[in-house]
Amino acid sequence: MQGPPQRDVLSAVRYALENPKAIPSGMNDFSCKPAAAHPYPVVLVNGTFGNMYMNWSMYSPQLAADGYCVFGLDYGSGSGPISSPFWHQVGSMRSSARELGDFIEVVRGATGAAKVDLVGYSQGGLVPLYYINQLGGADEVDTMIGVAPPSNGIAVYGILPWIASNQGVSAAFDSAIPAVQDVTAGSDFVRETASGGLARPNVRYVTIVSRTDSVVQLGDAHLPDGPNVTNMAIQDQCADYYGDHTTYIYNEIALRLVRNSLDLANAVPLQCRLVLPLVN
């Protein structure tokens, strides 16, 4: 069941809780065949906790209207106290990366596309890097766009490293939400993801992050400089953007940056405005 487009995160969460089987409009039409203008399907990769509808009920309808074949999945569902029909992306990120890879194979098989483009939000910007770097995904991904991606792991003001260094607390988190351990700066997962370099030469990378994001900082998100890497801070183009970590996926400025990054030849100037945290 496809749910209606949404313009804010609270409305999306409310609808998803009332309709747990809903997916965003425009998503997962496996009869869709990519047009010549957009030859690669776009796979949207969720952030921590939220399901497809919570994450993408603004992006998916717009990208489908732009002419893309759009797909998404809920992955990393937990088996501990956090597990439920609504909350996902809490399990081991290595397992999540394998789930993503399997889903991409299904998408490529259904659409006949040689590669896909990935748009990942938050955790959904790190899991694909592991898939690309360690599971052979570099041959199957054309463009990887990370929206607030914790590419280098995150510390969140030292909280996550503190959890990792305290055995009892760490064990509790590892049982309930293994993804927290994996996303921590300096974790085995982060180091393994970066083994051989964070970026591969035959993939185009874009990172989009806000200087006012209190969860993912610029240094957490940005990839090493290279000819195939574009790192951007939203404020470099829209100075009055003060959005928080939840703002990106329900904000037309961030969405426009993603749309422009997917289709460089038809990029449209941003319509900047004042964006406040929480109220967007």
Side-chain angles (χ1 to χ4, degrees):
M1 160 183 147
Q2 292 193 344
Q6 301 289 352
R7 300 291 298 181
D8 66 271
V9 65
L10 291 179
S11 297
V13 170
R14 186 181 303 113
Y15 188 90
L17 292 174
E18 293 171 352
N19 303 274
K21 294 185 179 181
I23 65 172
S25 62
M27 180 178 280
N28 288 352
D29 175 3
F30 285 91
S31 67
C32 185
K33 300 300 180 184
H38 302 304
Y40 302 125
V42 175
V43 177
L44 302 176
V45 190
N46 301 347
T48 306
F49 292 132
N51 62 19
M52 289 180 281
Y53 189 86
M54 293 177 188
N55 276 252
W56 302 117
S57 58
M58 181 177 183
Y59 277 44
S60 178
Q62 182 60 67
L63 293 174
D66 289 344
Y68 295 95
C69 295
V70 181
F71 297 89
L73 74 160
D74 295 328
Y75 63 90
S77 299
S79 57
I82 302 300
S83 61
S84 84
F86 312 112
W87 310 119
H88 304 273
Q89 295 79 237
V90 296
S92 158
M93 288 193 185
R94 290 179 180 85
S95 297
S96 292
R98 289 191 290 271
E99 287 185 63
L100 175 63
D102 291 343
F103 184 75
I104 288 171
E105 288 304 303
V106 172
V107 170
R108 291 177 60 239
T111 61
K115 296 185 177 185
V116 300
D117 291 333
L118 301 177
V119 177
Y121 163 61
S122 195
Q123 181 190 153
L126 176 55
V127 166
L129 294 182
Y130 188 90
Y131 162 69
I132 290 168
N133 292 350
Q134 305 302 330
L135 300 180
D139 294 329
E140 299 183 355
V141 175
D142 183 73
T143 298
M144 169 65 215
I145 301 174
V147 181
S151 310
N152 301 284
I154 54 176
V156 191
Y157 306 106
I159 295 171
L160 297 192
W162 179 85
I163 291 173
S165 67
N166 286 266
Q167 186 173 0
V169 179
S170 175
F173 270 86
D174 198 41
S175 173
I177 316 177
V180 169
Q181 301 287 74
D182 289 339
V183 78
T184 300
S187 72
D188 290 344
F189 179 81
V190 169
R191 289 197 299 270
E192 187 177 345
T193 300
S195 177
L198 266 176
R200 295 297 185 261
N202 54 330
V203 178
R204 183 169 68 92
Y205 298 88
V206 179
T207 68
I208 300 168
V209 69
S210 169
R211 290 191 173 91
T212 54
D213 188 330
S214 60
V215 177
V216 177
Q217 311 293 310
L218 266 66
D220 301 332
H222 283 178
L223 297 169
D225 291 337
N228 59 327
V229 174
T230 300
N231 292 311
M232 64 177 73
I234 296 176
Q235 287 79 10
D236 289 341
Q237 300 185 58
C238 289
D240 290 332
Y241 184 99
Y242 299 97
D244 56 70
H245 190 67
T246 64
T247 302
Y248 303 91
I249 50 175
Y250 287 96
N251 177 269
E252 75 283 359
I253 295 171
L255 174 55
R256 171 50 67 186
L257 288 171
V258 169
R259 294 168 71 192
N260 286 352
S261 297
L262 286 170
D263 190 2
L264 295 173
N266 296 294
V268 173
L270 298 180
Q271 298 294 314
C272 295
R273 63 173 177 86
L274 175 63
V275 176
L276 299 175
L278 300 179
V279 296
N280 196 9

